[in-house]
Amino acid sequence: MAPSTPLVALILRYDKGVGSAVAQKLKSEGFSVAVSGRSIDTTEFKNEGDLIDKADFSNAEAITGIFDQVEWELGPAAFRTL
């Protein structure tokens, strides 16, 4: 039975290593995955995330904007990793 609320995960400071592995695992378990990183290549990672965005994590407004964008496009995140 499908959950009534979509499963959404937000991965901040995404990278090719652990971040990529976590994104792939969550997608395989039915999550919509949003990923963000300072130097993320949106074309390289487009198959791993449903929403991909670059962000400067030293800027609090940018971080707030990521959460707002994820919630608007995918729904509220079920959990977050840093």
Side-chain angles (χ1 to χ4, degrees):
M1 179 185 332
S4 59
T5 304
L7 297 172
V8 178
L10 170 57
I11 302 171
L12 301 176
R13 296 179 142 183
Y14 179 82
D15 63 10
K16 291 183 190 181
V18 173
S20 177
V22 170
Q24 290 173 18
K25 176 67 173 169
L26 291 172
K27 283 191 66 78
S28 76
E29 293 185 8
F31 280 78
S32 294
V33 178
V35 298
S36 185
R38 185 184 328 183
S39 59
I40 194 168
D41 179 348
T42 57
T43 57
E44 184 176 351
F45 300 113
K46 67 182 176 184
N47 295 325
E48 294 181 15
D50 297 300
L51 175 63
I52 301 169
D53 196 12
K54 289 185 179 184
D56 175 3
F57 298 111
S58 66
N59 179 337
E61 288 180 14
I63 295 171
T64 301
I66 293 168
F67 286 101
D68 291 344
Q69 182 181 8
V70 169
E71 189 165 345
W72 176 256
E73 293 190 34
L74 301 177
F79 62 89
R80 302 169 184 110
T81 64
L82 295 176

